[in-house]
Amino acid sequence: MDDRIVVEDLEQLSFRVDRRAYTDDAVAAAEMTKIFDRCWLYVGHESEVPELGSYVSRDVGSRPVVMSRGSDGKIRVFANSCTHRGALICSQPSGQAKSFRCPYHDWTFSNQGDLVGVPIPDGYGPSFRKADFGLAQHQSETYRGFVFVTFDPEQQRTLPEYLAGATDYLDLIDDQSEVGMEVIQGAQLHGARANWKLMMENSVDIYHFRALHKRYVSYMESLGSTPPRRRGGFGSALGLGHGANELPPAAARPLAYWTPMFGEEVRPRIEATAARFVERFGAERAERITGTNRAVLIFPNLMIIDAIAITIRKIDPVGAGQMAITSVALAPKDEDPDIRELRKSHYLTFLGPAGFATPDDIEIVESCQRGYLNRTVRYSDLSRGMNKEVPETTDELPAREFWRQWDRLMRDEESR
């Protein structure tokens, strides 16, 4: 029996994924060492630590970390683990601090990671040096405000090299403001009883939109807006597992693309903003920045959905059959307050965990996970669009790019 999980046949235009990839505990364990311990992983956005001493703590690749802007202004990513006996040195999700104190024995570390305080230091011998016990610092890099970390000491790719063609899409996002983008305060933390890769597939799958999200389609039409069409746009493989779908203007974009669902009172300002983008970038790129809708998958577990509002989703595995999802909204720093409220409303209405779309997506990926328990059907099919030179957004090219990289890493065929 062929033991390959990803089975691609270019002659037959067939691309199949063995459902063991979603259900097998051994596969889930191998992913942590072969993928999450080797890739560049998204930590957060630099706007989340705007001031000296500000920090956020979260799990990245199942490892607790702290992203801190030190008193010297530099952003660092530390292991959230005391170098003495291992307890978390930061238990709050965010805040501002000059130092981090371990609650176990009061070892204290500066916001730059140095060990600065040890109670009863005369209990240690002459070879003990505080300089040897600073917080473990992970290799991190930033691209256009997006902070990534790698746990691989032999990582050979710089972050821009790793991001490959995805840098173009991060540029499109960061160029939406002349003064920078910022994460809107407040995160949605939820999950699903399904494998994490199902949500990665779902997030770049436009084929399901009108079938699964009928309520939202009806809601948009009732407000005079046009939902995404079944045809049109294009899908892209961006290299190293990254992919994107890009749609022509359809849904509302509070940045510089007005539709009736925003109301007439804001139309002049949105159209004036659109004109400024044309002045800055020219008509073609301005249209792409402000008008097109896109879903960008950055391998392995980051999704950026830039449609209606900008949503950053970090999708983390919790064993084979569960996932944890962290979702935040991104917006221009200089956005007018009422436009910001409009953005937040549309973000929550469609992309929030209690919105029109996300509950549909959670329910359907959980349905897939339950369906896999039958085990009679061995493979899932992701062949749609293989017969086209330029696949559309309703085809499955981005998902295939994800699975090709997944397969290379799991089979140790991809260099660091």
Side-chain angles (χ1 to χ4, degrees):
M1 182 179 70
D2 185 359
D3 199 44
R4 291 290 296 264
I5 287 181
V6 177
V7 182
E8 182 173 14
D9 187 332
L10 294 177
E11 288 188 2
Q12 298 298 318
L13 301 178
S14 171
F15 194 101
R16 298 179 298 162
V17 176
D18 192 314
R19 292 175 178 179
R20 285 180 296 142
Y22 308 96
T23 61
D24 192 288
D25 290 333
V27 171
E31 287 175 338
M32 300 313 299
T33 57
K34 292 177 178 289
I35 294 177
F36 287 88
D37 284 355
R38 291 183 60 184
C39 293
W40 282 97
L41 305 175
Y42 177 70
V43 182
H45 194 267
E46 63 182 8
S47 65
E48 295 180 88
V49 288
E51 300 172 348
L52 302 184
S54 53
Y55 67 84
V56 295
S57 66
R58 55 184 51 131
D59 284 357
V60 175
S62 296
R63 303 188 189 210
V65 304
V66 177
M67 181 173 74
S68 169
R69 188 182 291 272
S71 296
D72 60 356
K74 182 179 178 180
I75 295 176
R76 300 174 177 86
V77 180
F78 300 113
N80 191 356
S81 178
C82 181
T83 50
H84 176 220
R85 297 282 286 277
L88 298 178
I89 53 92
C90 181
S91 59
Q92 298 300 314
S94 63
Q96 192 169 6
K98 292 182 179 180
S99 61
F100 300 104
R101 184 188 68 84
C102 175
Y104 201 173
H105 298 95
D106 269 349
W107 279 36
T108 304
F109 304 85
S110 75
N111 56 26
Q112 296 174 211
D114 301 315
L115 177 61
V116 295
V118 177
I120 321 177
D122 58 5
Y124 294 96
S127 64
F128 178 83
R129 298 190 315 147
K130 287 191 289 187
D132 295 334
F133 288 88
L135 294 175
Q137 183 175 336
H138 300 301
Q139 181 182 348
S140 62
E141 292 185 24
T142 301
Y143 184 83
R144 300 300 297 266
F146 295 87
V147 183
F148 289 75
V149 67
T150 181
F151 303 120
D152 184 357
E154 299 179 18
Q155 177 62 248
Q156 296 176 6
R157 291 189 176 102
T158 66
L159 178 59
E161 289 170 341
Y162 175 83
L163 291 171
T167 57
D168 181 39
Y169 285 88
L170 296 183
D171 292 342
L172 290 171
I173 290 168
D174 199 55
D175 282 343
Q176 293 180 26
S177 173
E178 293 184 80
V179 299
M181 304 292 287
E182 65 181 0
V183 168
I184 299 174
Q185 187 174 5
Q188 285 74 49
L189 309 176
H190 59 108
R193 293 185 296 273
N195 187 272
W196 67 281
K197 298 183 292 295
L198 281 169
M199 187 56 74
M200 301 306 296
E201 292 176 2
N202 171 274
S203 298
V204 285
D205 182 336
I206 308 300
Y207 189 36
H208 77 266
F209 187 88
R210 283 182 174 266
L212 188 62
H213 302 311
K214 290 183 173 68
R215 291 181 307 149
Y216 189 69
V217 169
S218 298
Y219 170 72
M220 291 182 72
E221 290 175 340
S222 73
L223 295 176
S225 292
T226 304
R229 298 184 291 273
R230 287 189 182 273
R231 309 300 297 267
F234 60 91
S236 300
L238 305 175
L240 298 178
H242 318 310
N245 272 320
E246 194 161 341
L247 284 164
R253 294 291 300 279
L255 175 70
Y257 186 81
W258 181 87
T259 67
M261 64 191 303
F262 285 155
E264 286 289 341
E265 64 277 8
V266 300
R267 185 172 185 173
R269 273 182 292 153
I270 288 179
E271 292 180 345
T273 300
R276 288 198 300 274
F277 273 94
V278 172
E279 292 175 3
R280 288 175 60 198
F281 296 103
E284 184 176 347
R285 182 162 179 82
E287 172 69 10
R288 194 163 176 231
I289 293 171
T290 66
T292 56
N293 298 278
R294 48 196 156 253
V296 186
L297 186 160
I298 296 179
F299 188 91
N301 67 326
L302 174 64
M303 279 302 314
I304 303 178
I305 302 171
D306 187 5
I308 305 171
I310 304 173
T311 303
I312 302 174
R313 283 180 180 166
K314 186 169 75 74
I315 301 165
D316 294 302
V318 184
Q322 292 190 66
M323 72 181 86
I325 303 171
T326 304
S327 180
V328 297
L330 190 71
K333 289 181 179 179
D334 54 348
E335 196 165 50
D336 289 347
D338 58 338
I339 300 293
R340 173 65 61 87
E341 291 304 311
L342 193 61
R343 177 186 296 274
K344 289 161 62 175
S345 173
H346 284 275
Y347 164 76
L348 293 172
T349 298
F350 181 64
L351 296 162
F356 277 103
T358 301
D360 295 338
D361 294 327
I362 296 296
E363 183 177 7
I364 205 65
V365 297
E366 290 185 343
S367 176
C368 291
Q369 192 75 21
R370 291 195 299 273
Y372 296 160
L373 297 177
N374 184 276
R375 298 189 300 278
T376 301
V377 180
R378 181 176 176 183
Y379 294 100
S380 291
D381 185 86
L382 288 90
S383 304
R384 185 175 174 84
M386 290 183 73
N387 62 329
K388 300 176 184 176
E389 184 175 347
V390 181
E392 298 179 65
T393 53
T394 52
D395 297 324
E396 293 162 335
L397 175 60
R400 288 194 294 273
E401 176 67 14
F402 170 91
W403 277 108
R404 287 174 183 135
Q405 181 70 355
W406 183 93
D407 189 50
R408 287 189 290 264
L409 289 169
M410 293 291 282
R411 293 167 60 82
D412 296 314
E413 295 177 353
E414 171 69 31
S415 62
R416 284 174 166 82

